[in-house]
Amino acid sequence: MNRIYDSVEPRVMDDDLLKLAVGEQGPQEEAGQLAKQEGILFKDVLSLQLDFQNILRIDNLWQFENLQKLQLDNNIIEKIEGLENLTQLVWLDLSFNNIKVIEGLDTLVNLEDLSLFNNRISKIDSLDALVKLQVLSLGNNQIDNLANIIYLRQFKHLRTLSLSGNPITQADDYKMFVYSHLPDLVYLDFRRIDDHM
């Protein structure tokens, strides 16, 4: 995948990068100043934004045990890993990376919104633990088999699904296949599903 920042060295998720990210998104008023003076406890952080950092590997997030929102889009991540301690995570964005396989999400039992948009994924699987999943974005990947839709039937809370830009969407019966196997879906590929469908 050609990226504007391909020439930049891949970065490691070390304490310095994490402190910088937490510091930049904290309030700039009195509370932010106090946090800078006294230090930031990673366990108190609820949201972490690490987009456009040229991160190659997810690491060092074990201290963020109460994190609810994690933004790791637009990096060069190749593998989903290092998330096992983030059991409170509700929202995860791994879009625009180089991920080929869905994995490493087994402990994220509270996850409701997962974006893997624009990666290199060819099969939808290994999401079984995500029983609260409501929004799944897998557009612009390499999914080409309608059987992947059947796997998604187990997600009773799934209301929004994006698969646009995948070879699967070129099948003549794609939409009807999705509607018939996921009857509780409300949005497919950024469009509300008509009631008569």
Side-chain angles (χ1 to χ4, degrees), residues 124 144-152 168 177:
I124 306 172
D144 61 0
N145 189 333
L146 284 173
N148 285 280
I149 303 301
I150 297 168
Y151 171 79
L152 294 174
I168 192 176
F177 192 87

Side-chain angles (χ1 to χ4, degrees), residues 91-148:
W91 189 90
L92 176 60
D93 187 351
L94 284 163
S95 55
F96 294 92
N97 278 288
N98 295 320
I99 298 164
K100 292 182 179 177
V101 177
I102 300 172
E103 60 189 339
L105 302 172
D106 298 339
T107 61
L108 306 185
V109 294
N110 289 303
L111 202 63
E112 295 176 5
D113 191 321
L114 175 61
S115 180
L116 290 164
F117 186 85
N118 210 81
N119 277 282
R120 299 175 178 186
I121 296 164
S122 59
K123 184 178 181 188
I124 306 172
D125 64 355
S126 302
L127 296 171
D128 299 19
L130 311 184
V131 294
K132 295 183 179 180
L133 195 63
Q134 296 175 24
V135 178
L136 180 60
S137 177
L138 283 164
N140 284 12
N141 276 284
Q142 298 168 2
I143 300 163
D144 61 0
N145 189 333
L146 284 173
N148 285 280

Side-chain angles (χ1 to χ4, degrees), residues 19 57 72 104 174:
K19 284 177 185 170
R57 186 167 179 250
L72 283 165
Y174 160 70

Side-chain angles (χ1 to χ4, degrees), residues 19-120:
K19 284 177 185 170
L20 182 67
V22 170
E24 283 179 354
Q25 66 193 40
Q28 299 304 316
E29 303 117 30
E30 206 172 307
Q33 298 304 319
L34 190 64
K36 282 182 181 173
Q37 291 167 6
E38 297 183 6
I40 301 159
L41 293 175
F42 288 165
K43 71 176 182 63
D44 295 335
V45 176
L46 299 179
S47 178
L48 187 58
Q49 188 173 336
L50 290 163
D51 54 335
F52 295 98
Q53 296 294 323
N54 223 45
I55 294 168
L56 177 63
R57 186 167 179 250
I58 304 169
D59 202 2
N60 286 314
L61 292 175
W62 58 272
Q63 298 175 76
F64 292 86
E65 58 196 54
N66 293 307
L67 197 65
Q68 295 176 6
K69 181 177 180 182
L70 179 57
Q71 192 170 337
L72 283 165
D73 60 285
N74 291 283
N75 283 292
I76 53 174
I77 297 165
E78 296 177 347
K79 184 175 182 177
I80 305 171
E81 60 187 343
L83 302 174
E84 52 278 342
N85 290 327
L86 307 182
T87 57
Q88 301 306 310
L89 212 57
V90 175
W91 189 90
L92 176 60
D93 187 351
L94 284 163
S95 55
F96 294 92
N97 278 288
N98 295 320
I99 298 164
K100 292 182 179 177
V101 177
I102 300 172
E103 60 189 339
L105 302 172
D106 298 339
T107 61
L108 306 185
V109 294
N110 289 303
L111 202 63
E112 295 176 5
D113 191 321
L114 175 61
S115 180
L116 290 164
F117 186 85
N118 210 81
N119 277 282
R120 299 175 178 186

Side-chain angles (χ1 to χ4, degrees), residues 146 149-150 153 168-183 185 188-189 193-197:
L146 284 173
I149 303 301
I150 297 168
R153 288 188 70 162
I168 192 176
T169 62
Q170 301 305 311
D172 292 338
D173 56 347
Y174 160 70
K175 285 185 178 177
M176 288 312 294
F177 192 87
V178 173
Y179 300 154
S180 64
H181 285 86
L182 304 173
L185 210 59
L188 175 63
D189 299 335
I193 297 170
D194 295 336
D195 290 338
H196 72 276
M197 288 298 191

